[in-house]
Amino acid sequence: QGIACYQPHSVEQGASTSVRGLWVGHAGGVWWCDASYILRRGDPDVLIVPTHEGFALDRITAIADAHHGRIVIATLDGVFIHSTSFSESQRFTRIRLPIDSTTQVVALHMDRYDRIWAGTFGRGLFRIEPNGGVTHFDDPEVPVNANVMAIRSSGDSVLFATLDGVYLWISDSGSGQGRFVPEPLVRSGFS
């Protein structure tokens, strides 16, 4: 996504190898193995941000690209939008969802219209508009399960993987209106 990159330039640094396993060390270095006798360590300048503006960032439950050099993250304190770089002068945009502290946002995705879709484990699906408005899809007529595990989009359509299977949101050309359609899969169910 262009947020950060570590690219080895020589064979000694690990160029032209296949990563077989990754681990983040206590000092923030990224270690990996490539099925050789060498254990490799990535750039030690990996950005580690344990807290920002008083919010703990060691319990992030979901993360997504928020376009325009931004990320969207979910923690137990809510959903936040921030620049992909962190400094003391930069501030979060916090979005409060009508959920209690025991409900976790486990899936985030920004669609082509800059709307953030937030899937929870237990309270279903939320859509956050660019102006901050929040829609909770909790109408009994909405077929999406209350446990949304993953979200992706393609064009105007958004796909949701749930404990009941896959659902598709078919948008009416970005108007914010649309409908949910179950996507039948062979042996459908938990996706």
Side-chain angles (χ1 to χ4, degrees):
Q1 298 295 329
I3 295 171
C5 177
Y6 171 72
Q7 183 173 350
H9 296 286
S10 68
V11 173
E12 292 79 24
Q13 293 174 333
S16 302
T17 62
S18 297
V19 175
R20 303 298 173 118
L22 285 172
W23 178 71
V24 178
H26 297 291
V30 178
W31 297 78
W32 79 92
C33 61
D34 58 9
S36 73
Y37 65 93
I38 299 173
L39 180 63
R40 303 189 183 280
R41 183 170 190 256
D43 189 341
D45 294 325
V46 173
L47 179 65
I48 303 293
V49 184
T51 63
H52 188 63
E53 294 182 56
F55 294 107
L57 298 179
D58 59 347
R59 302 265 193 270
I60 294 175
T61 58
I63 188 167
D65 177 17
H67 309 161
H68 319 294
R70 301 172 304 152
I71 56 172
V72 57
I73 61 173
T75 73
L76 297 179
D77 293 316
V79 175
F80 301 91
I81 300 173
H82 198 279
S83 166
T84 55
S85 61
F86 278 78
S87 72
E88 290 302 316
S89 63
Q90 294 170 321
R91 299 286 176 239
F92 279 126
T93 299
R94 185 178 187 188
I95 302 158
R96 295 179 192 268
L97 297 178
I99 56 178
D100 61 33
S101 62
T102 63
T103 303
Q104 291 187 4
V105 173
V106 295
L108 288 169
H109 180 74
M110 182 174 276
D111 67 18
R112 70 189 293 180
Y113 301 105
D114 291 344
R115 294 183 295 228
I116 300 168
W117 295 84
T120 68
F121 195 79
R123 288 292 314 269
L125 182 65
F126 294 86
R127 186 180 65 205
I128 304 160
E129 301 295 335
N131 66 7
V134 175
T135 302
H136 184 196
F137 293 95
D138 63 346
D139 186 304
E141 299 298 314
V142 173
V144 174
N145 182 274
N147 301 295
V148 179
M149 309 306 287
I151 307 169
R152 296 292 180 268
S153 65
S154 177
D156 287 349
S157 301
V158 184
L159 287 162
F160 306 93
T162 76
L163 291 183
D164 279 343
V166 176
Y167 294 88
L168 177 68
W169 167 263
I170 300 173
S171 176
D172 293 338
S173 300
S175 67
Q177 301 299 313
R179 66 187 191 286
F180 289 97
V181 178
E183 283 293 297
L185 299 173
V186 177
R187 295 187 184 107
S188 63
F190 170 76
S191 297

